[in-house]
Amino acid sequence: MSNICVFCGSSSGTDPAFRAAAVELGAAIAASDHGLVYGGGGVGLMGAVADAVLDAGGEVTGVITEQLLALEVGHVNLTNLEVLPDMHTRKARMAELSDGVVVLPGGFGTYEEAFEVLTWNQLGIVAAPIVFLDVDVNGQSFFASLFDFIDGAVAAGFMKPEHGDLAQRATDPIEAVAIAAGPAPSFTRKWVG
């Protein structure tokens, strides 16, 4: 059994499609016989994906900081909850426990975590597939502008196309899990000549 890390919001967002995607992703992780590693929260999309894995009989490891646990946002019914002193240690531990990453919508923290794993892949620190589960809201692709931004950075010569390709995209939770559990990306030197 491999572990899939999920980065997502501690809010549920304004559209029910976000929460539905989190629940579907959690069910897909458990149905594929993978464990979930995530930030340990019991609120928002974080709580929804964890509850869906648990409801389907899967295993969930939460990794949370002392500060966030003190704010009472920790999930109390997980298979395992690790409490760490700071965000840097937390992110490193989540990467250590995971074989791949799925990113759902969220805020600054979600994107910071996702881009850190992308950077670690780029530098050869980790080798973990990372996929953004794109949620359609009223005919709009949530991550469309993010992928336009990445394509723009590649076109402007700030990253190699191979590094832009590290950020993968899926529209279906089952596809997202398959990508995250798939082969690790190969290492290509970062520096653009």
PDB file of all heavy atoms in Angstrom, residues 134-177:
ATOM      1  N   ASP A 134      -8.416  19.130 -10.816  1.00  0.00           N
ATOM      2  CA  ASP A 134      -9.118  20.315 -11.287  1.00  0.00           C
ATOM      3  C   ASP A 134     -10.617  20.153 -11.088  1.00  0.00           C
ATOM      4  O   ASP A 134     -11.209  19.167 -11.534  1.00  0.00           O
ATOM      5  CB  ASP A 134      -8.804  20.553 -12.767  1.00  0.00           C
ATOM      6  CG  ASP A 134      -8.743  22.024 -13.113  1.00  0.00           C
ATOM      7  OD1 ASP A 134      -9.191  22.846 -12.298  1.00  0.00           O
ATOM      8  OD2 ASP A 134      -8.245  22.347 -14.192  1.00  0.00           O
ATOM      9  N   VAL A 135     -11.210  21.086 -10.404  1.00  0.00           N
ATOM     10  CA  VAL A 135     -12.636  21.064 -10.109  1.00  0.00           C
ATOM     11  C   VAL A 135     -13.335  22.027 -11.056  1.00  0.00           C
ATOM     12  O   VAL A 135     -12.938  23.188 -11.181  1.00  0.00           O
ATOM     13  CB  VAL A 135     -12.900  21.457  -8.638  1.00  0.00           C
ATOM     14  CG1 VAL A 135     -14.394  21.473  -8.339  1.00  0.00           C
ATOM     15  CG2 VAL A 135     -12.163  20.510  -7.693  1.00  0.00           C
ATOM     16  N   ASP A 136     -14.368  21.535 -11.706  1.00  0.00           N
ATOM     17  CA  ASP A 136     -15.157  22.378 -12.605  1.00  0.00           C
ATOM     18  C   ASP A 136     -16.252  23.056 -11.788  1.00  0.00           C
ATOM     19  O   ASP A 136     -17.054  22.398 -11.126  1.00  0.00           O
ATOM     20  CB  ASP A 136     -15.773  21.529 -13.716  1.00  0.00           C
ATOM     21  CG  ASP A 136     -16.568  22.367 -14.692  1.00  0.00           C
ATOM     22  OD1 ASP A 136     -15.945  22.991 -15.559  1.00  0.00           O
ATOM     23  OD2 ASP A 136     -17.812  22.408 -14.563  1.00  0.00           O
ATOM     24  N   VAL A 137     -16.265  24.384 -11.839  1.00  0.00           N
ATOM     25  CA  VAL A 137     -17.284  25.157 -11.131  1.00  0.00           C
ATOM     26  C   VAL A 137     -17.967  26.054 -12.151  1.00  0.00           C
ATOM     27  O   VAL A 137     -17.357  26.978 -12.696  1.00  0.00           O
ATOM     28  CB  VAL A 137     -16.657  25.997  -9.986  1.00  0.00           C
ATOM     29  CG1 VAL A 137     -17.720  26.820  -9.290  1.00  0.00           C
ATOM     30  CG2 VAL A 137     -15.939  25.098  -9.001  1.00  0.00           C
ATOM     31  N   ASN A 138     -19.225  25.733 -12.437  1.00  0.00           N
ATOM     32  CA  ASN A 138     -20.014  26.509 -13.408  1.00  0.00           C
ATOM     33  C   ASN A 138     -19.298  26.649 -14.750  1.00  0.00           C
ATOM     34  O   ASN A 138     -19.243  27.723 -15.336  1.00  0.00           O
ATOM     35  CB  ASN A 138     -20.350  27.900 -12.842  1.00  0.00           C
ATOM     36  CG  ASN A 138     -21.157  27.802 -11.563  1.00  0.00           C
ATOM     37  OD1 ASN A 138     -22.036  26.960 -11.440  1.00  0.00           O
ATOM     38  ND2 ASN A 138     -20.850  28.654 -10.603  1.00  0.00           N
ATOM     39  N   GLY A 139     -18.729  25.552 -15.214  1.00  0.00           N
ATOM     40  CA  GLY A 139     -18.060  25.556 -16.516  1.00  0.00           C
ATOM     41  C   GLY A 139     -16.668  26.153 -16.511  1.00  0.00           C
ATOM     42  O   GLY A 139     -16.041  26.288 -17.561  1.00  0.00           O
ATOM     43  N   GLN A 140     -16.164  26.520 -15.334  1.00  0.00           N
ATOM     44  CA  GLN A 140     -14.827  27.105 -15.216  1.00  0.00           C
ATOM     45  C   GLN A 140     -13.885  26.097 -14.554  1.00  0.00           C
ATOM     46  O   GLN A 140     -14.194  25.554 -13.501  1.00  0.00           O
ATOM     47  CB  GLN A 140     -14.882  28.383 -14.369  1.00  0.00           C
ATOM     48  CG  GLN A 140     -15.725  29.485 -14.950  1.00  0.00           C
ATOM     49  CD  GLN A 140     -15.069  30.128 -16.154  1.00  0.00           C
ATOM     50  OE1 GLN A 140     -13.859  30.248 -16.218  1.00  0.00           O
ATOM     51  NE2 GLN A 140     -15.879  30.534 -17.111  1.00  0.00           N
ATOM     52  N   SER A 141     -12.735  25.897 -15.168  1.00  0.00           N
ATOM     53  CA  SER A 141     -11.709  25.028 -14.613  1.00  0.00           C
ATOM     54  C   SER A 141     -10.965  25.787 -13.519  1.00  0.00           C
ATOM     55  O   SER A 141     -10.354  26.825 -13.787  1.00  0.00           O
ATOM     56  CB  SER A 141     -10.750  24.620 -15.731  1.00  0.00           C
ATOM     57  OG  SER A 141      -9.574  24.095 -15.209  1.00  0.00           O
ATOM     58  N   PHE A 142     -11.000  25.292 -12.274  1.00  0.00           N
ATOM     59  CA  PHE A 142     -10.431  26.022 -11.149  1.00  0.00           C
ATOM     60  C   PHE A 142      -8.944  26.313 -11.329  1.00  0.00           C
ATOM     61  O   PHE A 142      -8.472  27.401 -11.010  1.00  0.00           O
ATOM     62  CB  PHE A 142     -10.664  25.264  -9.838  1.00  0.00           C
ATOM     63  CG  PHE A 142     -10.190  26.017  -8.631  1.00  0.00           C
ATOM     64  CD1 PHE A 142     -10.983  26.988  -8.057  1.00  0.00           C
ATOM     65  CD2 PHE A 142      -8.937  25.783  -8.095  1.00  0.00           C
ATOM     66  CE1 PHE A 142     -10.554  27.716  -6.958  1.00  0.00           C
ATOM     67  CE2 PHE A 142      -8.490  26.502  -6.989  1.00  0.00           C
ATOM     68  CZ  PHE A 142      -9.299  27.467  -6.431  1.00  0.00           C
ATOM     69  N   PHE A 143      -8.180  25.347 -11.818  1.00  0.00           N
ATOM     70  CA  PHE A 143      -6.734  25.505 -11.918  1.00  0.00           C
ATOM     71  C   PHE A 143      -6.252  26.008 -13.274  1.00  0.00           C
ATOM     72  O   PHE A 143      -5.044  26.041 -13.533  1.00  0.00           O
ATOM     73  CB  PHE A 143      -6.027  24.189 -11.579  1.00  0.00           C
ATOM     74  CG  PHE A 143      -6.039  23.850 -10.111  1.00  0.00           C
ATOM     75  CD1 PHE A 143      -6.590  22.660  -9.654  1.00  0.00           C
ATOM     76  CD2 PHE A 143      -5.485  24.714  -9.184  1.00  0.00           C
ATOM     77  CE1 PHE A 143      -6.595  22.337  -8.306  1.00  0.00           C
ATOM     78  CE2 PHE A 143      -5.487  24.415  -7.823  1.00  0.00           C
ATOM     79  CZ  PHE A 143      -6.045  23.218  -7.383  1.00  0.00           C
ATOM     80  N   ALA A 144      -7.161  26.438 -14.155  1.00  0.00           N
ATOM     81  CA  ALA A 144      -6.758  26.886 -15.499  1.00  0.00           C
ATOM     82  C   ALA A 144      -5.739  28.012 -15.446  1.00  0.00           C
ATOM     83  O   ALA A 144      -4.706  27.975 -16.139  1.00  0.00           O
ATOM     84  CB  ALA A 144      -7.985  27.316 -16.306  1.00  0.00           C
ATOM     85  N   SER A 145      -5.972  29.016 -14.619  1.00  0.00           N
ATOM     86  CA  SER A 145      -5.060  30.156 -14.574  1.00  0.00           C
ATOM     87  C   SER A 145      -3.707  29.767 -13.974  1.00  0.00           C
ATOM     88  O   SER A 145      -2.671  30.317 -14.361  1.00  0.00           O
ATOM     89  CB  SER A 145      -5.674  31.329 -13.805  1.00  0.00           C
ATOM     90  OG  SER A 145      -5.994  30.944 -12.491  1.00  0.00           O
ATOM     91  N   LEU A 146      -3.694  28.815 -13.054  1.00  0.00           N
ATOM     92  CA  LEU A 146      -2.432  28.337 -12.489  1.00  0.00           C
ATOM     93  C   LEU A 146      -1.576  27.673 -13.574  1.00  0.00           C
ATOM     94  O   LEU A 146      -0.371  27.922 -13.669  1.00  0.00           O
ATOM     95  CB  LEU A 146      -2.690  27.362 -11.343  1.00  0.00           C
ATOM     96  CG  LEU A 146      -1.441  26.738 -10.722  1.00  0.00           C
ATOM     97  CD1 LEU A 146      -0.598  27.798 -10.030  1.00  0.00           C
ATOM     98  CD2 LEU A 146      -1.829  25.644  -9.747  1.00  0.00           C
ATOM     99  N   PHE A 147      -2.200  26.860 -14.403  1.00  0.00           N
ATOM    100  CA  PHE A 147      -1.445  26.184 -15.461  1.00  0.00           C
ATOM    101  C   PHE A 147      -1.036  27.164 -16.561  1.00  0.00           C
ATOM    102  O   PHE A 147       0.028  27.008 -17.164  1.00  0.00           O
ATOM    103  CB  PHE A 147      -2.212  24.964 -15.986  1.00  0.00           C
ATOM    104  CG  PHE A 147      -2.021  23.778 -15.083  1.00  0.00           C
ATOM    105  CD1 PHE A 147      -2.817  23.603 -13.964  1.00  0.00           C
ATOM    106  CD2 PHE A 147      -0.997  22.869 -15.315  1.00  0.00           C
ATOM    107  CE1 PHE A 147      -2.608  22.532 -13.102  1.00  0.00           C
ATOM    108  CE2 PHE A 147      -0.778  21.796 -14.464  1.00  0.00           C
ATOM    109  CZ  PHE A 147      -1.598  21.630 -13.348  1.00  0.00           C
ATOM    110  N   ASP A 148      -1.838  28.201 -16.793  1.00  0.00           N
ATOM    111  CA  ASP A 148      -1.416  29.269 -17.711  1.00  0.00           C
ATOM    112  C   ASP A 148      -0.167  29.966 -17.163  1.00  0.00           C
ATOM    113  O   ASP A 148       0.761  30.286 -17.906  1.00  0.00           O
ATOM    114  CB  ASP A 148      -2.534  30.303 -17.899  1.00  0.00           C
ATOM    115  CG  ASP A 148      -3.688  29.773 -18.735  1.00  0.00           C
ATOM    116  OD1 ASP A 148      -3.529  28.733 -19.413  1.00  0.00           O
ATOM    117  OD2 ASP A 148      -4.766  30.404 -18.692  1.00  0.00           O
ATOM    118  N   PHE A 149      -0.147  30.198 -15.858  1.00  0.00           N
ATOM    119  CA  PHE A 149       0.996  30.833 -15.190  1.00  0.00           C
ATOM    120  C   PHE A 149       2.252  29.974 -15.361  1.00  0.00           C
ATOM    121  O   PHE A 149       3.330  30.481 -15.704  1.00  0.00           O
ATOM    122  CB  PHE A 149       0.651  31.032 -13.715  1.00  0.00           C
ATOM    123  CG  PHE A 149       1.772  31.569 -12.877  1.00  0.00           C
ATOM    124  CD1 PHE A 149       2.082  32.920 -12.873  1.00  0.00           C
ATOM    125  CD2 PHE A 149       2.516  30.713 -12.069  1.00  0.00           C
ATOM    126  CE1 PHE A 149       3.115  33.417 -12.090  1.00  0.00           C
ATOM    127  CE2 PHE A 149       3.547  31.202 -11.282  1.00  0.00           C
ATOM    128  CZ  PHE A 149       3.846  32.557 -11.295  1.00  0.00           C
ATOM    129  N   ILE A 150       2.131  28.665 -15.120  1.00  0.00           N
ATOM    130  CA  ILE A 150       3.268  27.761 -15.264  1.00  0.00           C
ATOM    131  C   ILE A 150       3.744  27.748 -16.715  1.00  0.00           C
ATOM    132  O   ILE A 150       4.954  27.833 -16.985  1.00  0.00           O
ATOM    133  CB  ILE A 150       2.903  26.344 -14.773  1.00  0.00           C
ATOM    134  CG1 ILE A 150       2.688  26.365 -13.246  1.00  0.00           C
ATOM    135  CG2 ILE A 150       3.989  25.330 -15.157  1.00  0.00           C
ATOM    136  CD1 ILE A 150       2.071  25.090 -12.684  1.00  0.00           C
ATOM    137  N   ASP A 151       2.811  27.653 -17.659  1.00  0.00           N
ATOM    138  CA  ASP A 151       3.183  27.676 -19.079  1.00  0.00           C
ATOM    139  C   ASP A 151       3.896  28.972 -19.436  1.00  0.00           C
ATOM    140  O   ASP A 151       4.847  28.978 -20.227  1.00  0.00           O
ATOM    141  CB  ASP A 151       1.942  27.505 -19.961  1.00  0.00           C
ATOM    142  CG  ASP A 151       1.345  26.102 -19.884  1.00  0.00           C
ATOM    143  OD1 ASP A 151       2.048  25.174 -19.424  1.00  0.00           O
ATOM    144  OD2 ASP A 151       0.173  25.945 -20.284  1.00  0.00           O
ATOM    145  N   GLY A 152       3.460  30.085 -18.844  1.00  0.00           N
ATOM    146  CA  GLY A 152       4.099  31.375 -19.092  1.00  0.00           C
ATOM    147  C   GLY A 152       5.524  31.409 -18.578  1.00  0.00           C
ATOM    148  O   GLY A 152       6.415  31.984 -19.213  1.00  0.00           O
ATOM    149  N   ALA A 153       5.760  30.802 -17.416  1.00  0.00           N
ATOM    150  CA  ALA A 153       7.118  30.745 -16.864  1.00  0.00           C
ATOM    151  C   ALA A 153       8.032  29.910 -17.744  1.00  0.00           C
ATOM    152  O   ALA A 153       9.204  30.253 -17.946  1.00  0.00           O
ATOM    153  CB  ALA A 153       7.090  30.194 -15.438  1.00  0.00           C
ATOM    154  N   VAL A 154       7.504  28.830 -18.299  1.00  0.00           N
ATOM    155  CA  VAL A 154       8.281  28.002 -19.230  1.00  0.00           C
ATOM    156  C   VAL A 154       8.578  28.798 -20.494  1.00  0.00           C
ATOM    157  O   VAL A 154       9.726  28.875 -20.960  1.00  0.00           O
ATOM    158  CB  VAL A 154       7.538  26.688 -19.564  1.00  0.00           C
ATOM    159  CG1 VAL A 154       8.234  25.944 -20.710  1.00  0.00           C
ATOM    160  CG2 VAL A 154       7.435  25.793 -18.332  1.00  0.00           C
ATOM    161  N   ALA A 155       7.543  29.438 -21.066  1.00  0.00           N
ATOM    162  CA  ALA A 155       7.710  30.204 -22.310  1.00  0.00           C
ATOM    163  C   ALA A 155       8.699  31.351 -22.134  1.00  0.00           C
ATOM    164  O   ALA A 155       9.436  31.695 -23.068  1.00  0.00           O
ATOM    165  CB  ALA A 155       6.357  30.737 -22.784  1.00  0.00           C
ATOM    166  N   ALA A 156       8.758  31.932 -20.940  1.00  0.00           N
ATOM    167  CA  ALA A 156       9.657  33.049 -20.675  1.00  0.00           C
ATOM    168  C   ALA A 156      11.073  32.599 -20.329  1.00  0.00           C
ATOM    169  O   ALA A 156      11.951  33.425 -20.099  1.00  0.00           O
ATOM    170  CB  ALA A 156       9.095  33.908 -19.539  1.00  0.00           C
ATOM    171  N   GLY A 157      11.299  31.287 -20.296  1.00  0.00           N
ATOM    172  CA  GLY A 157      12.643  30.765 -20.054  1.00  0.00           C
ATOM    173  C   GLY A 157      13.056  30.688 -18.607  1.00  0.00           C
ATOM    174  O   GLY A 157      14.245  30.589 -18.299  1.00  0.00           O
ATOM    175  N   PHE A 158      12.081  30.716 -17.683  1.00  0.00           N
ATOM    176  CA  PHE A 158      12.417  30.617 -16.263  1.00  0.00           C
ATOM    177  C   PHE A 158      12.391  29.190 -15.733  1.00  0.00           C
ATOM    178  O   PHE A 158      12.820  28.938 -14.614  1.00  0.00           O
ATOM    179  CB  PHE A 158      11.501  31.507 -15.422  1.00  0.00           C
ATOM    180  CG  PHE A 158      11.814  32.960 -15.616  1.00  0.00           C
ATOM    181  CD1 PHE A 158      10.985  33.762 -16.385  1.00  0.00           C
ATOM    182  CD2 PHE A 158      12.952  33.519 -15.054  1.00  0.00           C
ATOM    183  CE1 PHE A 158      11.286  35.098 -16.593  1.00  0.00           C
ATOM    184  CE2 PHE A 158      13.258  34.856 -15.247  1.00  0.00           C
ATOM    185  CZ  PHE A 158      12.429  35.651 -16.024  1.00  0.00           C
ATOM    186  N   MET A 159      11.887  28.270 -16.518  1.00  0.00           N
ATOM    187  CA  MET A 159      11.976  26.858 -16.157  1.00  0.00           C
ATOM    188  C   MET A 159      11.930  26.019 -17.422  1.00  0.00           C
ATOM    189  O   MET A 159      11.397  26.454 -18.448  1.00  0.00           O
ATOM    190  CB  MET A 159      10.901  26.437 -15.151  1.00  0.00           C
ATOM    191  CG  MET A 159       9.500  26.324 -15.698  1.00  0.00           C
ATOM    192  SD  MET A 159       8.310  25.657 -14.499  1.00  0.00           S
ATOM    193  CE  MET A 159       8.053  27.039 -13.423  1.00  0.00           C
ATOM    194  N   LYS A 160      12.507  24.857 -17.337  1.00  0.00           N
ATOM    195  CA  LYS A 160      12.510  23.928 -18.457  1.00  0.00           C
ATOM    196  C   LYS A 160      11.114  23.340 -18.637  1.00  0.00           C
ATOM    197  O   LYS A 160      10.374  23.174 -17.651  1.00  0.00           O
ATOM    198  CB  LYS A 160      13.518  22.808 -18.203  1.00  0.00           C
ATOM    199  CG  LYS A 160      14.958  23.262 -18.196  1.00  0.00           C
ATOM    200  CD  LYS A 160      15.887  22.092 -17.935  1.00  0.00           C
ATOM    201  CE  LYS A 160      17.334  22.542 -17.992  1.00  0.00           C
ATOM    202  NZ  LYS A 160      18.267  21.436 -17.731  1.00  0.00           N
ATOM    203  N   PRO A 161      10.754  22.974 -19.861  1.00  0.00           N
ATOM    204  CA  PRO A 161       9.456  22.331 -20.065  1.00  0.00           C
ATOM    205  C   PRO A 161       9.268  21.087 -19.195  1.00  0.00           C
ATOM    206  O   PRO A 161       8.163  20.837 -18.705  1.00  0.00           O
ATOM    207  CB  PRO A 161       9.468  21.974 -21.556  1.00  0.00           C
ATOM    208  CG  PRO A 161      10.400  22.964 -22.175  1.00  0.00           C
ATOM    209  CD  PRO A 161      11.458  23.218 -21.128  1.00  0.00           C
ATOM    210  N   GLU A 162      10.339  20.317 -18.989  1.00  0.00           N
ATOM    211  CA  GLU A 162      10.240  19.119 -18.144  1.00  0.00           C
ATOM    212  C   GLU A 162       9.838  19.468 -16.720  1.00  0.00           C
ATOM    213  O   GLU A 162       9.146  18.695 -16.058  1.00  0.00           O
ATOM    214  CB  GLU A 162      11.579  18.368 -18.090  1.00  0.00           C
ATOM    215  CG  GLU A 162      12.093  17.900 -19.428  1.00  0.00           C
ATOM    216  CD  GLU A 162      13.051  18.899 -20.083  1.00  0.00           C
ATOM    217  OE1 GLU A 162      12.890  20.123 -19.885  1.00  0.00           O
ATOM    218  OE2 GLU A 162      13.959  18.455 -20.799  1.00  0.00           O
ATOM    219  N   HIS A 163      10.267  20.639 -16.268  1.00  0.00           N
ATOM    220  CA  HIS A 163       9.893  21.044 -14.916  1.00  0.00           C
ATOM    221  C   HIS A 163       8.469  21.579 -14.866  1.00  0.00           C
ATOM    222  O   HIS A 163       7.746  21.353 -13.896  1.00  0.00           O
ATOM    223  CB  HIS A 163      10.900  22.049 -14.364  1.00  0.00           C
ATOM    224  CG  HIS A 163      12.243  21.429 -14.169  1.00  0.00           C
ATOM    225  ND1 HIS A 163      13.403  22.059 -14.515  1.00  0.00           N
ATOM    226  CD2 HIS A 163      12.608  20.208 -13.700  1.00  0.00           C
ATOM    227  CE1 HIS A 163      14.434  21.263 -14.253  1.00  0.00           C
ATOM    228  NE2 HIS A 163      13.963  20.128 -13.763  1.00  0.00           N
ATOM    229  N   GLY A 164       8.047  22.260 -15.906  1.00  0.00           N
ATOM    230  CA  GLY A 164       6.648  22.667 -15.982  1.00  0.00           C
ATOM    231  C   GLY A 164       5.730  21.457 -15.991  1.00  0.00           C
ATOM    232  O   GLY A 164       4.641  21.476 -15.408  1.00  0.00           O
ATOM    233  N   ASP A 165       6.197  20.380 -16.627  1.00  0.00           N
ATOM    234  CA  ASP A 165       5.405  19.148 -16.713  1.00  0.00           C
ATOM    235  C   ASP A 165       5.309  18.395 -15.392  1.00  0.00           C
ATOM    236  O   ASP A 165       4.514  17.459 -15.267  1.00  0.00           O
ATOM    237  CB  ASP A 165       5.981  18.220 -17.779  1.00  0.00           C
ATOM    238  CG  ASP A 165       5.802  18.765 -19.190  1.00  0.00           C
ATOM    239  OD1 ASP A 165       4.969  19.681 -19.391  1.00  0.00           O
ATOM    240  OD2 ASP A 165       6.501  18.269 -20.105  1.00  0.00           O
ATOM    241  N   LEU A 166       6.128  18.768 -14.400  1.00  0.00           N
ATOM    242  CA  LEU A 166       6.026  18.124 -13.090  1.00  0.00           C
ATOM    243  C   LEU A 166       4.656  18.366 -12.470  1.00  0.00           C
ATOM    244  O   LEU A 166       4.149  17.526 -11.725  1.00  0.00           O
ATOM    245  CB  LEU A 166       7.119  18.649 -12.147  1.00  0.00           C
ATOM    246  CG  LEU A 166       8.548  18.231 -12.454  1.00  0.00           C
ATOM    247  CD1 LEU A 166       9.526  19.008 -11.576  1.00  0.00           C
ATOM    248  CD2 LEU A 166       8.728  16.727 -12.265  1.00  0.00           C
ATOM    249  N   ALA A 167       4.066  19.508 -12.754  1.00  0.00           N
ATOM    250  CA  ALA A 167       2.715  19.821 -12.270  1.00  0.00           C
ATOM    251  C   ALA A 167       1.722  19.198 -13.239  1.00  0.00           C
ATOM    252  O   ALA A 167       1.484  19.710 -14.326  1.00  0.00           O
ATOM    253  CB  ALA A 167       2.511  21.327 -12.183  1.00  0.00           C
ATOM    254  N   GLN A 168       1.170  18.051 -12.835  1.00  0.00           N
ATOM    255  CA  GLN A 168       0.218  17.347 -13.690  1.00  0.00           C
ATOM    256  C   GLN A 168      -1.203  17.745 -13.308  1.00  0.00           C
ATOM    257  O   GLN A 168      -1.447  18.331 -12.257  1.00  0.00           O
ATOM    258  CB  GLN A 168       0.426  15.838 -13.547  1.00  0.00           C
ATOM    259  CG  GLN A 168       1.835  15.414 -13.980  1.00  0.00           C
ATOM    260  CD  GLN A 168       2.049  13.941 -13.806  1.00  0.00           C
ATOM    261  OE1 GLN A 168       1.524  13.133 -14.561  1.00  0.00           O
ATOM    262  NE2 GLN A 168       2.812  13.581 -12.781  1.00  0.00           N
ATOM    263  N   ARG A 169      -2.138  17.390 -14.145  1.00  0.00           N
ATOM    264  CA  ARG A 169      -3.519  17.845 -13.978  1.00  0.00           C
ATOM    265  C   ARG A 169      -4.476  16.704 -14.290  1.00  0.00           C
ATOM    266  O   ARG A 169      -4.269  15.961 -15.240  1.00  0.00           O
ATOM    267  CB  ARG A 169      -3.720  18.988 -14.955  1.00  0.00           C
ATOM    268  CG  ARG A 169      -4.944  19.812 -14.795  1.00  0.00           C
ATOM    269  CD  ARG A 169      -4.836  20.938 -15.816  1.00  0.00           C
ATOM    270  NE  ARG A 169      -5.861  21.917 -15.731  1.00  0.00           N
ATOM    271  CZ  ARG A 169      -5.958  22.948 -16.540  1.00  0.00           C
ATOM    272  NH1 ARG A 169      -5.065  23.120 -17.499  1.00  0.00           N
ATOM    273  NH2 ARG A 169      -6.933  23.816 -16.408  1.00  0.00           N
ATOM    274  N   ALA A 170      -5.518  16.578 -13.472  1.00  0.00           N
ATOM    275  CA  ALA A 170      -6.560  15.580 -13.700  1.00  0.00           C
ATOM    276  C   ALA A 170      -7.909  16.210 -13.396  1.00  0.00           C
ATOM    277  O   ALA A 170      -7.997  17.137 -12.594  1.00  0.00           O
ATOM    278  CB  ALA A 170      -6.337  14.359 -12.812  1.00  0.00           C
ATOM    279  N   THR A 171      -8.942  15.698 -14.027  1.00  0.00           N
ATOM    280  CA  THR A 171     -10.297  16.193 -13.769  1.00  0.00           C
ATOM    281  C   THR A 171     -11.153  15.160 -13.042  1.00  0.00           C
ATOM    282  O   THR A 171     -12.280  15.452 -12.663  1.00  0.00           O
ATOM    283  CB  THR A 171     -10.999  16.586 -15.087  1.00  0.00           C
ATOM    284  OG1 THR A 171     -11.013  15.450 -15.956  1.00  0.00           O
ATOM    285  CG2 THR A 171     -10.273  17.749 -15.754  1.00  0.00           C
ATOM    286  N   ASP A 172     -10.604  13.978 -12.839  1.00  0.00           N
ATOM    287  CA  ASP A 172     -11.339  12.882 -12.214  1.00  0.00           C
ATOM    288  C   ASP A 172     -10.537  12.353 -11.023  1.00  0.00           C
ATOM    289  O   ASP A 172      -9.319  12.145 -11.147  1.00  0.00           O
ATOM    290  CB  ASP A 172     -11.543  11.768 -13.253  1.00  0.00           C
ATOM    291  CG  ASP A 172     -12.188  10.546 -12.665  1.00  0.00           C
ATOM    292  OD1 ASP A 172     -13.412  10.566 -12.485  1.00  0.00           O
ATOM    293  OD2 ASP A 172     -11.452   9.577 -12.361  1.00  0.00           O
ATOM    294  N   PRO A 173     -11.163  12.147  -9.862  1.00  0.00           N
ATOM    295  CA  PRO A 173     -10.433  11.675  -8.690  1.00  0.00           C
ATOM    296  C   PRO A 173      -9.707  10.347  -8.900  1.00  0.00           C
ATOM    297  O   PRO A 173      -8.593  10.167  -8.411  1.00  0.00           O
ATOM    298  CB  PRO A 173     -11.513  11.547  -7.617  1.00  0.00           C
ATOM    299  CG  PRO A 173     -12.585  12.478  -8.045  1.00  0.00           C
ATOM    300  CD  PRO A 173     -12.565  12.449  -9.542  1.00  0.00           C
ATOM    301  N   ILE A 174     -10.322   9.427  -9.630  1.00  0.00           N
ATOM    302  CA  ILE A 174      -9.675   8.133  -9.873  1.00  0.00           C
ATOM    303  C   ILE A 174      -8.416   8.322 -10.706  1.00  0.00           C
ATOM    304  O   ILE A 174      -7.370   7.729 -10.432  1.00  0.00           O
ATOM    305  CB  ILE A 174     -10.665   7.154 -10.547  1.00  0.00           C
ATOM    306  CG1 ILE A 174     -11.802   6.826  -9.573  1.00  0.00           C
ATOM    307  CG2 ILE A 174      -9.949   5.880 -11.006  1.00  0.00           C
ATOM    308  CD1 ILE A 174     -12.963   6.063 -10.174  1.00  0.00           C
ATOM    309  N   GLU A 175      -8.493   9.183 -11.718  1.00  0.00           N
ATOM    310  CA  GLU A 175      -7.318   9.497 -12.531  1.00  0.00           C
ATOM    311  C   GLU A 175      -6.246  10.179 -11.688  1.00  0.00           C
ATOM    312  O   GLU A 175      -5.046   9.879 -11.812  1.00  0.00           O
ATOM    313  CB  GLU A 175      -7.734  10.418 -13.690  1.00  0.00           C
ATOM    314  CG  GLU A 175      -6.587  10.877 -14.556  1.00  0.00           C
ATOM    315  CD  GLU A 175      -6.976  11.979 -15.537  1.00  0.00           C
ATOM    316  OE1 GLU A 175      -8.070  12.580 -15.398  1.00  0.00           O
ATOM    317  OE2 GLU A 175      -6.158  12.255 -16.428  1.00  0.00           O
ATOM    318  N   ALA A 176      -6.645  11.080 -10.804  1.00  0.00           N
ATOM    319  CA  ALA A 176      -5.688  11.786  -9.946  1.00  0.00           C
ATOM    320  C   ALA A 176      -4.943  10.803  -9.053  1.00  0.00           C
ATOM    321  O   ALA A 176      -3.715  10.889  -8.900  1.00  0.00           O
ATOM    322  CB  ALA A 176      -6.398  12.842  -9.107  1.00  0.00           C
ATOM    323  N   VAL A 177      -5.655   9.848  -8.470  1.00  0.00           N
ATOM    324  CA  VAL A 177      -5.023   8.848  -7.612  1.00  0.00           C
ATOM    325  C   VAL A 177      -4.061   7.983  -8.422  1.00  0.00           C
ATOM    326  O   VAL A 177      -2.944   7.692  -7.973  1.00  0.00           O
ATOM    327  CB  VAL A 177      -6.084   7.987  -6.891  1.00  0.00           C
ATOM    328  CG1 VAL A 177      -5.454   6.789  -6.194  1.00  0.00           C
ATOM    329  CG2 VAL A 177      -6.858   8.836  -5.886  1.00  0.00           C
TER     330      VAL A 177
END
